[in-house]
Amino acid sequence: MKYSSQSVAMPYFIAAIGLFVGQIIFGLAMGLQYVVGDFLFPAIPFNIARMVHTNLLIVWLLFGFMGATYFLVPEEAETELYSPKLALVMFWVFLLAGAATILGYLLVPYATLAEMTGNNILATMGREFLEQPLLTKIGIVIVALAFLFNITMTMLKGRKTVISIVLLMGLWGLAIFFLFSFYNPGNLVKDKFYWWWVVHLWVEGVWELIMAAILAFVLIKVTGVDREVIEKWLYVIITLALVTGLIGTGHHYFWIGTPAYWQWLGSVFSALEPIPFFAMTVFAFNMVNRRRREHPNKAAVLWALGTGVMAFLGAGVWGFLHTLAPVNYYTHGSQITAAHGHMAFYGAYVLVVLTMISYAMPLLRGRAANDERAQVCEMWGFWLMTISMVFITLFLTAAGILQVWLQRVSSTPMPFMAVQEQISLFYWMRLWAGVVFAAGLVTYLASFFVKGESKPLIHA
Ligand code: HEM
Ligand code: HEM
Ligand SMILES: [Fe+2]
C-alpha cells in the first residue's frame, strides 16, 4: 500500500464479503424451497428470499466496486484520497441503510414496508432488482454522490490515468442510470422499457467499464507489463462494450410492446456483445504471458484469469445462447435465463471484485502477498466456487431446455407447474452444486485466517 488513505478500502471489502455470505445463505434456502416447497414457510417465503438474495448480491458488488475504487484511485492519481473521513462516514451510512432494508424485507410484509417508507409519495417499489423502498433508493443516491465527489476531487488533484478515467466514467454511468429506478410510469411497456436502462445498461454497459478498469489495474500490478499496452486494450474494450451494449438493450424489447424493428436491432447488436468479453479474456491471458515479473501473489493472477474466462462463458456464450429473437421467443423467462444470470454475474462481477480483494487485501494487511499456505487455501476457494457455479449453470440449462420443450415447443404443451415437477431432478442437482459452492465460500473465508510467514513488501 503506497498511500495511507487507501486503507478505507478495508471495511468496504469486509462488508462485501460478509454480505456475499448472506446472499449465498438465501440462495441455498431458495434452492431447497424449489424442491421442498414448504421449507421456511410462512416465515421466509420464496419471493422474499429471492429479493434478499438478489439485493444482497447487488449491494455487496457495489461495496466491492467502491472498495476497489478507494484502493485504486489514490495509487493511480499518486495522491491521498480527497477525504478518507467522508469515505468512512458513507461506509456506515450505506451499511446501516442496507441492513435496515434487508431487515425490512424479512420482518415486515412488503406492502406494509411500502406504506411505511413513502411509496405513496413516489411509487418505485415492486420491480425486480429495484425492490428497495424509496428511502433506501434516496440513500443510495446520496452515498453514490458523496462517493463520486470524493473520487472526482481526488482525481482532479492528482495524475489522471486512462485506467482511473475509465473507472470514473463507469461509476458515473452507474449512478446516472440508477436514477431511472425513480421513474415508474403506469404504462407497463414504458415501465419495462426504462427498467432495463438500469438493469441492462448496468451489467452490459457501464459496469463493463468498471470491470475492465479494475482488471487492467490488477494486471499492471501483477505482470509489470507497460501501461501503454494495457491502455490500448482498455480503449478497444470499452469502445466495443458501449457500441454493442447500448443498442443491445434491444434484446429485452422483442415482445414487450415496442416497435418490431427492435427484434433486428436487439438481435444484431447483442449478438456482438460477447466480443468485448472475449477481448477481456484475451487481454488477461496476453498480459500474464508477457509478464515481466513473477508476482508473489499467485492467487490474484488466478482470480484475474478466472474473471476473463468465466465472464466470457457466462455473459458471452450463455448470453448469446438466447439473445437472437427467434430463440428468445421460446426461452424468455425460463431456467435458461437463470442459468445465464448466475454465470454472468458470477464470472464478471463477483470474480472481478474478488480479484481486486485478492490483490489488495494482503497489501492492506501490510504484506506483498499471503503465505503460500493461505494462497493455496484461497485458490481452493476459487476452484470450488467456480466449478460448482459451472455445474449450477449446466443443471439450470438442462432444466431450461426441458422446460422450454415440454411447456412451449411440444405439440402437447404441459402447464407450468406440471413441467416443474418433471424437471425437479435438476433442481436437486442444482441444490447440491449450491452446497459445494457454499463450501467453497467457507474455504475462501478460511484463507484469511491461515497463518504463516508473510513475504516482505519489496515486490509491491
Ligand atoms: C456480465 C454481463 C451480464 C450479466 C451480469 C447478465 C445478467 C442477466 C440477468 C440477471 C438476466 C435476467 C434478467 C431478468 O430478471 O429478467 C439477463 C437476461 C438476459 N441476458 Fe444477460 N447478462 C450479461 C450479459 C449478457 C450478454 C453479453 C448477452 C448477449 C450476448 C445477454 C443476453 C441476455 C438476454 C437475451 C436476456 C433475456 C433473457 C430472457 O428473455 O428471459 N446478457 N442477463
Ligand atoms: C455468487 C453466486 C451467485 C450469484 C451471482 C447469483 C445470482 C443470482 C441472480 C442474478 C438471480 C436472479 C436470476 C434471474 O432473474 O434470472 C438469482 C436467483 C436465484 N438464485 Fe442465485 N446466485 C448465486 C448463488 C446461488 C446459489 C449458491 C444458489 C443455491 C443453490 C442460488 C439459487 C438461486 C435461486 C433458487 C434463484 C431464484 C431463481 C428463480 O426465480 O427461479 N444462487 N441468483
Ligand atoms: Fe441485456
Side-chain angles (χ1 to χ4, degrees), residues 20 23-34 46 50 53-54 57-58 60-61 128-129 333-347 350 385 388-389 392 396 420 427 429-435 437-438:
F20 181 20
Q23 183 219 331
I24 296 310
I25 291 172
F26 281 87
L28 287 177
M30 272 192 296
L32 195 50
Q33 287 176 334
Y34 244 89
F46 178 83
R50 190 183 199 286
H53 179 66
T54 53
L57 168 68
I58 304 296
W60 85 256
L61 292 178
E128 194 197 357
F129 297 118
S334 67
Q335 294 298 331
I336 305 272
T337 310
H340 156 68
H342 276 87
M343 196 151 51
F345 257 113
Y346 176 78
V350 169
M385 287 194 281
S388 52
M389 185 48 79
I392 290 178
L396 289 177
Q420 295 300 307
Y427 293 141
M429 298 204 286
R430 181 262 302 269
L431 178 60
W432 288 115
V435 171
F437 189 97

Side-chain angles (χ1 to χ4, degrees), residues 82-385:
Y82 177 74
S83 170
K85 205 175 264 163
L86 181 63
L88 284 177
V89 171
M90 283 303 137
F91 168 77
W92 287 107
V93 171
F94 197 40
L95 188 64
L96 293 176
T101 305
I102 300 296
L103 287 177
Y105 292 161
L106 291 171
L107 300 177
V108 188
Y110 192 68
T112 318
L113 184 65
E115 270 169 37
M116 286 164 55
T117 53
N119 199 53
N120 54 332
I121 302 169
L122 180 65
T124 68
M125 290 173 73
R127 296 174 298 164
E128 194 197 357
F129 297 118
L130 306 182
E131 295 95 345
Q132 309 82 21
L134 181 62
L135 282 173
T136 308
K137 288 198 181 85
I138 294 172
I140 293 174
V141 171
I142 293 171
V143 170
L145 284 178
F147 164 75
L148 285 170
F149 168 73
N150 210 348
I151 292 301
T152 309
M153 293 305 281
T154 309
M155 277 183 58
L156 286 178
K157 75 184 170 89
R159 182 175 71 143
K160 293 150 196 76
T161 65
V162 175
I163 291 184
S164 54
I165 291 169
V166 169
L167 178 64
L168 196 69
M169 277 167 54
L171 293 166
W172 272 101
L174 186 157
I176 288 166
F177 285 119
F178 183 70
L179 296 178
F180 286 94
S181 74
F182 291 92
Y183 181 58
N184 185 13
N187 177 318
L188 196 58
V189 178
K190 279 193 185 166
D191 171 6
K192 276 286 162 189
F193 192 92
Y194 291 106
W195 178 82
W196 285 111
W197 285 31
V198 189
V199 178
H200 170 101
L201 290 180
W202 266 14
V203 299
E204 291 157 75
V206 291
W207 285 29
E208 281 181 70
L209 273 53
I210 299 172
M211 175 187 171
I214 295 176
L215 205 54
F217 174 79
V218 175
L219 285 169
I220 286 192
K221 298 292 169 178
V222 297
T223 65
V225 169
D226 277 347
R227 187 174 280 278
E228 290 70 35
V229 179
I230 288 188
E231 286 174 349
K232 278 185 197 115
W233 275 97
L234 256 186
Y235 283 125
V236 173
I237 289 169
I238 67 163
T239 308
L240 286 169
L242 294 176
V243 167
T244 61
L246 295 179
I247 303 179
T249 320
H251 65 183
H252 304 294
Y253 295 164
F254 294 155
W255 298 284
I256 64 167
T258 40
Y261 57 74
W262 280 112
Q263 291 181 23
W264 281 100
L265 284 178
S267 297
V268 171
F269 279 86
S270 73
L272 302 174
E273 282 184 40
I275 299 173
F277 285 100
F278 186 64
M280 279 194 256
T281 318
V282 177
F283 167 54
F285 276 91
N286 210 331
M287 292 307 112
V288 172
N289 285 337
R290 293 164 65 167
R291 69 187 174 277
R292 294 228 193 122
R293 62 161 91 114
E294 293 300 328
H295 196 274
N297 193 341
K298 299 267 185 308
V301 177
L302 177 66
W303 289 105
L305 293 176
T307 309
V309 174
M310 295 301 292
F312 175 64
L313 284 179
V317 178
W318 257 260
F320 182 78
L321 213 63
H322 60 163
T323 207
L324 300 175
V327 178
N328 192 264
Y329 179 76
Y330 291 102
T331 59
H332 176 67
S334 67
Q335 294 298 331
I336 305 272
T337 310
H340 156 68
H342 276 87
M343 196 151 51
F345 257 113
Y346 176 78
Y349 301 119
V350 169
L351 284 185
V352 80
V353 167
L354 297 185
T355 298
M356 187 62 167
I357 292 180
S358 177
Y359 171 72
M361 207 54 153
L363 297 168
L364 289 165
R365 296 166 87 190
R367 46 186 109 135
N370 290 325
D371 178 68
E372 300 285 330
R373 277 183 303 159
Q375 286 196 43
V376 169
C377 183
E378 187 184 338
M379 292 193 268
W380 268 97
F382 168 87
W383 284 113
L384 283 171
M385 287 194 281

